[in-house]
Amino acid sequence: DVKVTQSSRYLVKRTGEKVFLECVQDMDHENMFWYRQDPGLGLRLIYFSYDVKMKEKGDIPEGYSVSREKKERFSLILESASTNQTSMYLCASSSGGEPREQYFGPGTRLTVT
Amino acid sequence: KQEVTQIPAALSVPEGENLVLNCSFTDSAIYNLQWFRQDPGKGLTSLLLIQSSQREQTSGRLNASLDKSSGRSTLYIAASQPGDSATYLCAVMNYGGSQGNLIFGKGTKLSVKP
């Protein structure tokens, strides 16, 4: 079975802190994704990566950056956390070839106070 | 721009009933469509994936159909159980562009009452 893990289930940070969210997958997938999920807005793509050291912006990249130094690990970085970044963050991975089914991690509930 | 809509937003049924969840999308040039289940406060679990060349996929009591020309997919759940209570999300992957990011609907929250 594909396994996607995220470093924390719950995280509380203060405004202005630098925050790191880590995601690891064990299926040698080429593609990895970071989404955020908010009530009424659904899931929105922040960033994704299709190879080591490669990244592309999603729909809402402002205030975030990412790092992919190893194939299995994809990190989301909040450079200076703000209260409007309080959200559920979901990581996903998929293979580069068919069928490109996406597998999700358990999510990190981030609260910025 | 691709938009995905799920109707109804919430559904409550008695145990044992067969039910259908609906998903519509505006751009028929899709690569695939996935149905997910999400329990409160948890991540997404992939239920079924239908590739653009397929019409339906089945897994146990679940059957998903795809009609690209009309921009519709349905998820059929047979003999519903209280354990099926969750939010069901539909997502499409477009052809071209980036390496397969999904566009999600806002989900249907299903409650199956014993």
Side-chain angles (χ1 to χ4, degrees):
Chain A
D1 275 355
V2 175
K3 190 126 188 213
V4 181
T5 57
Q6 295 184 229
S7 51
S8 306
R9 290 299 312 277
Y10 301 95
L11 210 52
V12 180
K13 295 292 181 181
R14 293 198 179 273
T15 302
E17 278 193 80
K18 191 168 185 176
V19 181
F20 293 86
L21 303 182
E22 305 283 339
C23 175
V24 177
Q25 50 93 5
D26 67 356
M27 282 302 293
D28 201 36
H29 281 167
E30 289 80 6
N31 302 328
M32 296 188 75
F33 307 84
W34 276 107
Y35 296 88
R36 65 178 281 178
Q37 185 178 31
D38 300 288
L41 296 176
L43 275 93
R44 295 176 292 167
L45 182 68
I46 305 171
Y47 266 99
F48 67 99
S49 168
Y50 52 91
D51 202 351
V52 174
K53 296 192 187 295
M54 305 303 287
K55 62 186 180 186
E56 282 198 32
K57 294 179 180 179
D59 298 321
I60 50 164
E62 297 79 18
Y64 303 95
S65 62
V66 290
S67 172
R68 193 162 179 205
E69 297 295 320
K70 293 185 178 181
K71 191 174 185 180
E72 67 271 18
R73 188 179 297 269
F74 191 35
S75 301
L76 180 70
I77 303 155
L78 286 65
E79 297 291 343
S80 176
S82 64
T83 55
N84 63 12
Q85 292 178 310
T86 292
S87 186
M88 172 70 118
Y89 290 87
L90 292 159
C91 174
S93 72
S94 73
S95 66
E98 292 190 10
R100 297 193 192 174
E101 186 170 0
Q102 283 196 20
Y103 298 89
F104 280 76
T108 295
R109 171 72 65 184
L110 173 67
T111 302
V112 182
T113 61
Chain B
K1 182 184 171 186
Q2 179 74 271
E3 291 183 6
V4 180
T5 303
Q6 292 185 247
I7 295 173
L11 182 64
S12 181
V13 300
E15 182 177 3
E17 197 162 291
N18 301 326
L19 59 100
V20 174
L21 306 181
N22 296 296
C23 172
S24 62
F25 46 94
T26 54
D27 185 346
S28 62
I30 64 169
Y31 183 83
N32 65 36
L33 183 146
Q34 264 186 273
W35 281 95
F36 295 90
R37 169 190 171 128
Q38 186 175 31
D39 293 292
K42 303 285 179 67
L44 278 64
T45 300
S46 179
L47 297 173
L48 289 164
L49 179 146
I50 311 177
Q51 294 188 276
S52 62
S53 58
Q54 297 173 323
R55 287 284 192 151
E56 64 178 340
Q57 283 286 339
T58 297
S59 175
R61 294 183 293 109
L62 305 180
N63 176 276
S65 68
L66 174 64
D67 183 343
K68 275 200 324 177
S69 60
S70 67
R72 293 177 187 275
S73 175
T74 61
L75 180 67
Y76 175 82
I77 302 177
S80 58
Q81 303 169 358
D84 295 330
S85 298
T87 296
Y88 291 81
L89 294 156
C90 163
V92 301
M93 183 182 296
N94 286 342
Y95 265 109
S98 48
Q99 291 289 321
N101 51 294
L102 294 171
I103 298 106
F104 283 85
K106 293 196 168 86
T108 294
K109 186 174 182 179
L110 173 66
S111 175
V112 181
K113 306 219 177 284

